[in-house]
């Protein structure tokens, strides 16, 4: 591999926002307080499916509260996530409910001088409902005669009828699938079920809205895209976008839960516009838990192969439980087949995906947008195929995975590119050595109370949704880079940082490009009025696409610096170079042939200012034309107590192919977080609803069971490795890591449990109860 020397990249550095975050001085949305601010509360429906027959808010208004109902807000239908192109976007949401379709849906809202008064006014509102049958099972919801959750929705600007609660469908077929299965020596198959789970982010959704004298709005939201919030608020309330200013506010975690414009945002905007005063609205934890989940899925998958392990084809049928509203389910169905065919070379594939409405919490993106679900199913069957054929599971993966030079579907049929960097062989070999793969016993060969198993899972996520030709997903970023007269640099971007250090990475990329010390690069505050568009921080695109925009702008600035310095030095700019002078703590511009003829960046910028010439700056938009796979491998060793069914993680090894590693410590943190979240998905977490559509897991720290500290994999027992790769299309060779870190973890745990017990599980989470039941059934069947 070509060697690349970096001044900044690949080195650990203190985070610029680190002190503020650990001392509690960082200002999140809930910390925003404005003069004359009112406090908002949402009236949530106590039913999961009902018609609203009347609302009496007179008692609340008599208390001095500002009240809004459906009649007080625009009836415009919209989709909260506007990443799909407008013509392919389903729209079924309104600011407040025209009809209740999930437990906790907002039917009215109030704003008052204090939180206590707002709560008192809320309780004074009288609502009458006509309760309707509740559908919590997507299979039942699809049956003819089931109670319709919607009659019609918008698709683009066209009104379409909803039949049997099917929100949308997608079919994909390539090659000759029937011939592939007829030719196969072996076929493995299974029906896999994955639950809807709550994101359990630290910060509940919150927003502050201030009406402006010119009829506009200033907004401080919890969001992953300030520009998409701006666009939607402008559309809903008919306000020119030049009068809507959305501030970038730090996020207290999100995991995809704020990829869309969150429901409280337009509600708060409507309250503020009616009141003529600023309003803050923050969801309680219970309200937040009712608001969003990961997509639940049932996946019927079968894979055909030759006896030498060559894969011939696959057929997948997927039913997605999207809950009460359609937040980009059409894209979800498309990416799901993309995850399958980008994991392994499958020349023949048939796919049918169906998205179904139910009276449950809304499904939205959560760390992988369908990838953990599909990877769990695929990696389980690859392991089963290896066992059937008597081939080592690692070798079978190496034989068939989509890698260097292969066509990579990325996020679906319309997002295709060629793999240009590939660290999978290195990661699988290193991970196997680190976990002690040679110690792995045959599946189910152990006896006794405590049994140990070693499992592997490999996966990836796309670095953005870029492709040579635009598909049905909007994907581009923008950035401004500006040089100050002291040689320091401002980076201005609308890109959101979820807390993992994305903005820190952009600062390091710009510092590298301009040869300036990292402490002289400023992550400037951002708002929609002073930044160019960035679509949303999703699809593991922050470093690759957001960083790509920043480096593109920095490269333009670099050219301008060289041209300007060339004039001052009377040297052809092509002969000049830039370097970081550690002693000066400055970027210097010089030519190696005449080393004494040089200027610092501060001298160049100061002369431009003093001579009333210009500011050296550049603004660029960047649309990636690739979406390189960020590969991740996961090996875990578990111990299972067959008396209790408890699963304990003994050892783990994770490997990441993220191209150039921007900061090893932050990259390792992404892998550690991915392992913990993936372990929770594999063996603990599930949301359940009763027949009335009420969450049975009301206390999510207990009943929905996110893993406690003592139940998470010990970091001391985790080995982390990075592949030695360089992504030619990425900023300084970098690609993504975030979501990739979670996607294969559940499969690795499932395969490790199978190795320990000789029992295969097709439903997540693999709880102690399920393990004990399976062990009992196995004993009875002997």
């Amino acid at each position: 591999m070509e060697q690349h020397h970096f001044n900044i990249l690949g080195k650990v550095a203190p985070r610029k926002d680190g002190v503020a975050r650990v001392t509690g001085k960082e200002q999140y949305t809930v910390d925003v307080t404005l003069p004359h601010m009112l406090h908002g509360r949402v009236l949530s429906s106590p039913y999961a499916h009902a018609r609203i027959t009347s609302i009496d808010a007179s008692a609340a208004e008599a208390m001095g509260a500002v009240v809004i109902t459906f009649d007080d807000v625009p009836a415009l239908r919209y989709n909260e996530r506007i990443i799909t192109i407008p013509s392919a976007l389903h729209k079924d949401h309104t600011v407040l409910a025209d009809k209740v379709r999930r437990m906790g849906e907002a039917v009215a809202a109030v704003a008052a001088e204090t939180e206590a008064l707002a709560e008192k006014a809320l309780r004074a509102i009288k609502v009458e409902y006509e309760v309707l049958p509740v559908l919590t099972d997507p299979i039942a919801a699809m049956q003819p005669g089931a109670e319709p959750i919607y009659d019609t929705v918008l698709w683009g600007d066209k009104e379409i009828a909803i039949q049997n609660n099917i929100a949308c469908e997608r079919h994909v077929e390539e090659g000759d699938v029937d011939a592939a299965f007829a030719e196969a020596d072996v076929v493995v198959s299974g029906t896999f079920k994955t639950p809807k789970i709550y994101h359990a982010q630290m910060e509940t959704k919150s927003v502050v809205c201030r009406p402006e004298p010119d009829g506009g709005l200033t907004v401080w939201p919890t969001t992953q895209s300030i520009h998409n919030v701006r666009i939607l608020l402008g559309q809903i309330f008919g306000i020119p976008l030049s009068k809507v200013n959305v501030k970038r506010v730090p996020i207290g975690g999100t995991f995809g839960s704020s990829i869309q414009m969150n429901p409280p945002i337009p509600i708060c905007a409507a309250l503020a516009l009616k009141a003529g005063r600023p309003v803050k609205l923050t969801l309680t934890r219970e309200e937040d838990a009712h608001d969003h989940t990961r997509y639940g899925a049932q996946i019927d998958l079968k894979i055909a192969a030759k006896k030498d392990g060559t894969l011939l084809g696959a057929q997948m049928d997927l039913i997605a439980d999207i809950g009460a509203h359609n937040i980009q389910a059409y894209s979800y169905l498309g990416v799901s087949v993309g995850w399958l065919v980008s994991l392994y070379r499958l020349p023949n594939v048939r796919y049918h995906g169906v998205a179904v409405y139910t009276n449950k919490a809304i499904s939205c993106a959560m760390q992988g947008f369908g990838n953990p679900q599909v990877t769990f199913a695929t990696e389980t069957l690859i392991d089963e195929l290896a066992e059937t054929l008597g081939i080592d599971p690692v070798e079978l993966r190496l034989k068939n995975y989509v890698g260097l030079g292969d066509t990579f579907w990325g996020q679906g049929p319309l997002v295709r590119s060629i793999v240009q960097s590939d660290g999978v062989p290195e990661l699988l070999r290193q991970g196997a050595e680190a976990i002690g793969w040679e110690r792995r016993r045959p599946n189910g060969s152990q006896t006794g109370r405590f049994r140990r198993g070693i499992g592997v899972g490999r996966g990836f996520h796309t670095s953005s949704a870029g492709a040579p030709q635009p598909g049905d997903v909007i994907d581009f970023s923008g950035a401004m880079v500006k040089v100050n007269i002291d040689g320091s640099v401002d980076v201005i971007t609308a890109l959101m940082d979820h807390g993992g250090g994305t903005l820190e990475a952009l600062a390091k990329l710009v510092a590298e490009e301009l040869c300036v010390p990292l402490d002289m690069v400023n992550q400037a505050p951002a708002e929609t009025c002073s930044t160019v568009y960035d679509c949303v921080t999703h699809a593991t695109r922050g470093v690759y696409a957001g960083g790509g925009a920043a480096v593109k702008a920095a490269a333009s600035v670099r050219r301008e610096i060289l041209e300007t310095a060339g004039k001052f030095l009377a040297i052809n700019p092509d002969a000049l170079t830039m370097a970081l002078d550690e002693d000066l703590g400055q970027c210097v511009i010089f030519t190696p042939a005449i080393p004494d003829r040089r200027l610092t960046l501060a001298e160049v910028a100061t002369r431009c200012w003093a001579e009333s010439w210009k500011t050296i700056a550049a603004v660029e938009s960047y649309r990636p034309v690739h979406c390189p796979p960020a590969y991740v491998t996961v090996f875990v060793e578990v111990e299972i107590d067959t008396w209790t069914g408890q699963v304990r993680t003994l050892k783990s090894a994770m490997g990441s192919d993220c191209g150039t590693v921007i900061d090893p410590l932050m990259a390792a943190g992404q892998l550690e977080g991915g392992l913990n979240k993936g372990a929770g998905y594999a063996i603990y977490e599930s949301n359940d609803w009763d027949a009335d559509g009420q969450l049975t897991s009301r206390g999510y720290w207990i009943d929905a069971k996110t893993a406690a500290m003592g139940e998470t994999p010990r970091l001391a027992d985790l080995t982390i490795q990075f592949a030695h790769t360089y992504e030619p299309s990425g900023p300084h060779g970098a690609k993504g890591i975030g979501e990739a870190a979670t996607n294969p973890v559940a499969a690795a745990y499932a395969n490790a449990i199978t190795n320990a017990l000789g029992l295969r599980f097709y439903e997540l989470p693999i709880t102690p109860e399920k393990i004990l039941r399976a062990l009992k059934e196995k004993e009875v069947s002997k």
Side-chain angles (χ1 to χ4, degrees):
M1 188 194 75
E2 182 185 352
Q3 295 298 310
H4 296 268
H5 172 73
F6 297 116
N7 294 311
I8 307 294
L9 304 183
K11 298 179 175 65
V12 174
R15 284 184 56 160
K16 294 177 179 295
D17 60 357
V19 173
R21 286 181 181 268
V22 301
T23 59
K25 294 181 179 179
E26 187 74 277
Q27 189 175 64
Y28 299 90
T29 301
V30 292
D31 300 313
V32 175
T33 301
L34 303 177
H36 311 297
M37 186 177 76
L38 300 176
H39 298 271
R41 291 286 289 118
V42 170
L43 182 63
S44 302
S45 168
Y47 304 104
H49 199 193
R51 291 190 181 90
I52 304 165
T53 58
S54 68
I55 300 180
D56 181 0
S58 57
E61 291 173 329
M63 298 177 187
V66 177
V67 182
I68 58 170
T69 67
F70 182 78
D71 294 333
D72 297 301
V73 297
L76 182 79
R77 285 180 285 182
Y78 58 89
N79 192 308
E80 293 176 309
R81 185 183 183 195
I82 51 171
I83 295 299
T84 298
I85 59 175
S87 62
L89 194 64
H90 291 83
K91 304 173 188 176
D92 61 25
H93 208 286
T94 50
V95 176
L96 292 168
D98 59 337
K99 169 190 171 184
V100 172
R101 296 178 173 89
R102 66 170 175 88
M103 191 70 67
E105 187 144 30
V107 299
V110 304
E113 297 290 344
T114 66
E115 291 181 77
L117 181 58
E119 182 65 28
K120 185 177 180 180
L122 196 76
R123 294 171 185 266
I125 298 174
K126 295 181 174 62
V127 184
E128 293 185 357
Y129 299 92
E130 177 192 341
V131 180
L132 299 171
V134 174
L135 297 165
T136 58
D137 178 4
I139 306 298
M142 295 169 63
Q143 302 308 309
E147 180 71 23
I149 296 173
Y150 289 89
D151 295 317
T152 64
V153 301
L154 291 178
W155 189 25
D157 295 325
K158 179 183 177 182
E159 187 128 14
I160 60 171
I162 298 298
Q163 301 292 334
N164 301 326
N165 292 310
I166 295 175
C168 51
E169 298 182 71
R170 290 190 87 155
H171 297 264
V172 174
E173 185 159 352
E174 292 202 358
D176 191 334
V177 177
D178 293 331
F181 278 90
E183 181 188 345
D185 296 311
V186 61
V187 174
V188 289
S189 63
T191 297
F192 299 85
K193 296 181 179 179
T194 61
K196 288 165 71 74
I197 65 171
Y198 175 50
H199 294 65
Q201 78 285 358
M202 292 183 70
E203 178 187 19
T204 64
K205 297 180 177 181
S206 187
V207 60
V208 176
C209 292
R210 182 179 68 199
E212 301 297 348
D214 64 356
L217 273 174
T218 302
V219 184
W220 293 258
T222 303
T223 185
Q224 292 172 223
S225 173
I226 59 176
H227 278 279
N228 287 347
V229 167
R230 183 195 210 193
I231 291 168
L232 279 167
L233 288 178
Q235 291 175 349
I236 292 168
F237 295 103
I239 303 173
L241 296 189
S242 59
K243 294 184 178 182
V244 180
N245 191 23
V246 181
K247 305 274 190 176
R248 187 180 70 200
V249 186
I251 302 177
T254 171
F255 308 126
S257 63
S258 295
I259 202 167
Q260 61 279 338
M261 179 186 71
N262 295 321
I265 295 174
I267 295 173
C268 187
L271 283 169
L273 289 170
K274 184 173 182 178
R277 290 172 61 181
V279 175
K280 177 190 285 186
L281 177 58
T282 300
L283 295 188
T284 66
R285 181 60 68 181
E286 181 179 0
E287 290 168 339
D288 200 72
H290 278 294
D291 179 79
H292 55 270
T293 62
R294 171 176 276 165
Y295 281 87
Q298 176 175 306
I299 300 171
D300 289 288
L301 178 63
K302 60 181 182 178
I303 297 174
K306 294 181 180 180
K307 59 185 177 183
D308 67 355
T310 303
L311 302 184
L312 297 174
Q315 179 169 313
M316 183 167 76
D317 296 287
L318 182 146
I319 298 172
D321 182 347
I322 69 169
H325 295 287
N326 183 344
I327 299 184
Q328 218 173 12
Y330 187 71
S331 288
Y332 176 87
L333 296 180
V335 301
S336 292
V337 67
W339 307 139
L340 172 67
V341 301
S342 294
L343 269 170
Y344 294 102
R345 290 189 293 273
L346 295 163
N348 307 286
V349 63
R350 179 184 294 141
Y351 167 72
H352 178 214
V354 183
V356 185
Y357 285 115
T358 60
N359 296 121
K360 297 195 299 201
I362 304 164
S363 294
C364 66
M366 181 180 179
Q367 289 179 303
F369 197 39
N371 201 328
Q373 295 91 315
V374 173
T375 300
F376 165 60
T378 307
E379 284 293 275
T380 297
L381 286 190
I382 290 295
D383 238 51
E384 190 170 336
L385 179 62
E387 183 181 16
T388 301
L389 295 173
I391 300 174
D392 182 278
V394 171
E395 297 305 320
L396 184 63
R397 286 168 169 82
L398 286 169
K399 180 181 179 68
N400 290 286
Y401 82 96
V402 173
L404 194 65
D406 291 333
T407 300
F408 175 73
W409 278 33
Q411 298 219 359
L414 302 179
V415 184
R416 305 193 189 197
S417 58
I418 302 298
V419 178
Q420 300 181 80
S421 59
D422 171 13
V424 172
E426 179 184 358
L427 295 177
L428 281 174
R429 301 293 188 206
Q430 289 180 343
E433 181 180 354
I435 204 69
W437 187 254
E438 74 283 354
R439 297 185 290 107
R440 185 176 182 268
R441 305 178 191 177
N443 287 350
S445 62
Q446 300 173 60
T447 57
R449 177 179 173 180
F450 295 99
R451 304 176 194 176
R452 295 186 174 188
I454 297 175
V456 60
R458 61 159 298 271
F460 70 94
H461 207 74
T462 57
S463 305
S464 83
Q469 178 176 314
D472 56 13
V473 175
I474 298 168
D475 192 287
F476 72 98
S477 287
M480 175 192 297
V481 173
K482 173 170 64 72
V483 179
N484 302 309
I485 62 171
D486 63 350
S488 64
V489 176
D490 291 320
V491 182
I492 305 102
T493 172
L495 187 80
M496 293 299 302
D497 188 327
H498 298 180
T502 307
L503 291 176
E504 191 81 19
L506 263 62
K508 296 187 84 169
L509 287 164
V510 170
E512 189 70 51
E513 181 69 21
L514 296 181
C515 303
V516 298
L518 181 59
D519 62 3
M520 293 188 71
V521 179
N522 172 44
Q523 303 164 5
E527 58 189 16
T528 51
C529 285
S530 60
T531 58
V532 292
Y533 182 82
D534 181 272
C535 64
V536 63
T537 307
H538 77 140
T540 308
R541 70 185 302 281
V543 167
Y544 179 75
V551 169
K552 184 179 179 182
S556 295
V557 166
R558 182 186 178 100
R559 288 192 294 272
E560 188 174 357
I561 290 169
L562 293 173
E563 289 172 3
T564 307
K567 291 185 174 71
F568 292 154
L569 293 169
I571 295 175
N572 190 312
D574 293 339
L576 293 174
T577 189
M578 296 165 61
L580 173 59
D581 188 313
E582 299 281 0
D583 295 329
L584 289 176
Q586 274 273 356
C587 168
V588 293
I589 303 98
F590 65 98
T591 177
I594 318 174
D596 59 330
R597 298 285 301 280
R598 66 182 204 162
L599 291 169
T600 66
L601 180 56
E603 289 171 332
V604 173
T606 298
R607 186 166 170 181
C608 287
W609 168 67
E611 296 181 5
S612 301
W613 187 5
K614 64 181 178 180
T615 296
I616 298 177
V619 180
E620 297 283 0
S621 288
Y622 172 69
R623 177 185 169 273
V625 295
H626 301 280
C627 55
Y631 295 112
V632 165
T633 58
V634 183
F635 290 82
V636 294
E637 182 177 9
V638 301
E639 181 181 77
I640 301 172
D641 185 341
T642 59
W643 290 9
T644 66
Q646 293 289 335
V647 178
R648 185 165 69 98
T649 307
L650 300 177
K651 191 177 181 181
S652 50
M654 296 192 74
S656 168
D657 171 16
C658 56
T660 298
V661 180
I662 305 297
D663 185 300
L665 198 59
M666 288 195 291
Q670 292 288 296
L671 293 172
E672 293 166 1
L675 179 64
N676 286 327
K677 291 292 287 184
Y681 188 47
I683 56 181
Y684 293 114
E685 297 178 54
S686 179
N687 278 18
D688 296 300
W689 286 259
D690 64 19
D692 294 324
Q694 178 61 266
L695 266 173
T696 59
S697 48
R698 296 191 187 192
Y700 83 95
W701 294 123
I702 302 170
D703 301 324
K705 195 48 186 163
T706 54
M709 285 297 292
E711 296 164 324
T712 57
R714 281 170 28 101
L715 299 185
D717 301 319
L718 169 62
T719 300
I720 288 177
Q721 295 151 328
F722 295 102
H724 296 84
T725 59
Y726 186 91
E727 171 54 44
S729 68
H732 291 293
K735 49 184 177 178
I737 186 172
E739 291 165 282
T742 301
N743 292 338
V745 175
Y749 271 88
N751 290 332
I753 292 169
T754 296
N755 181 235
L757 301 177
L759 296 168
R760 213 164 270 288
F761 294 87
Y762 299 90
E763 181 178 356
L764 297 180
I766 307 172
T767 60
E769 293 83 359
K770 291 176 184 175
I771 288 174
L772 292 176
R773 189 183 312 123
L775 286 168
K776 184 176 180 179
E777 291 171 355
K778 181 181 180 181
E779 188 65 30
V780 170
S781 67
K782 284 183 178 179

